Amino acid sequence: FNLFVDQFELNRFFDKEQFKLRIHSKLGNCIYCQKKSDRNLIEAIQFDLRNQDFRYIDWYRKEEQKYGNRFYRGNLSIDDLVKTAQCALNDGTQLEMFSDVGEACMCNSY
């Protein structure tokens, strides 16, 4: 009995269901999970910036201030990632320059 379910199996299961959540798999359960690659984090932040949805950004900012710590690889803060995401949106920087290689999230296998 295998408890590990990969993205392919999840998609296969949910394709048969009537209800569609319509959330891109890159966003996953944990939108700004520290296990995601820089590229996936930047894409998730850009998604929220485009939609003027700052609740996750604000939450991470508050938690970093509360604990005096940073969540992301290379000692990056949420503000560092937001700045990078905003610059890429504003000047058209190609996301290909950011690595999409990261550790797999618990909630996703990309």
Side-chain angles (χ1 to χ4, degrees):
F1 182 68
N2 183 2
L3 293 178
F4 178 75
V5 177
D6 64 16
Q7 189 65 45
F8 177 78
E9 290 296 322
L10 282 173
N11 289 342
R12 198 173 91 184
F13 173 81
F14 282 107
D15 282 344
K16 297 175 187 173
E17 300 299 312
Q18 290 181 343
F19 173 76
K20 302 295 180 209
L21 194 53
R22 298 178 200 259
I23 294 177
H24 194 284
S25 63
K26 285 191 175 190
L27 296 179
N29 276 343
C30 308
I31 293 178
Y32 299 163
C33 178
Q34 73 274 10
K35 292 270 212 174
K36 287 184 177 183
S37 68
D38 291 344
R39 183 174 174 176
N40 286 340
L41 284 166
I42 290 165
E43 287 177 344
I45 291 168
Q46 285 179 329
F47 179 85
D48 285 345
L49 292 173
R50 282 188 202 100
N51 291 302
Q52 299 288 306
D53 184 356
F54 305 106
R55 62 189 149 160
Y56 300 113
I57 294 168
D58 291 342
W59 184 87
Y60 274 87
R61 187 177 290 132
K62 184 177 116 191
E63 293 300 306
E64 286 179 349
Q65 290 171 353
K66 180 178 175 181
Y67 293 103
N69 204 351
R70 296 173 175 212
F71 287 104
Y72 300 103
R73 289 184 187 97
N75 203 30
L76 294 176
S77 69
I78 188 65
D79 288 328
D80 294 330
L81 291 170
V82 168
K83 182 179 177 183
T84 301
Q86 187 65 58
C87 286
L89 277 176
N90 291 343
D91 68 12
T93 300
Q94 298 295 317
L95 287 178
E96 286 75 26
M97 68 184 280
F98 300 103
S99 171
D100 65 350
V101 176
E103 297 180 36
C105 292
M106 294 293 292
C107 59
N108 212 328
S109 62
Y110 57 87

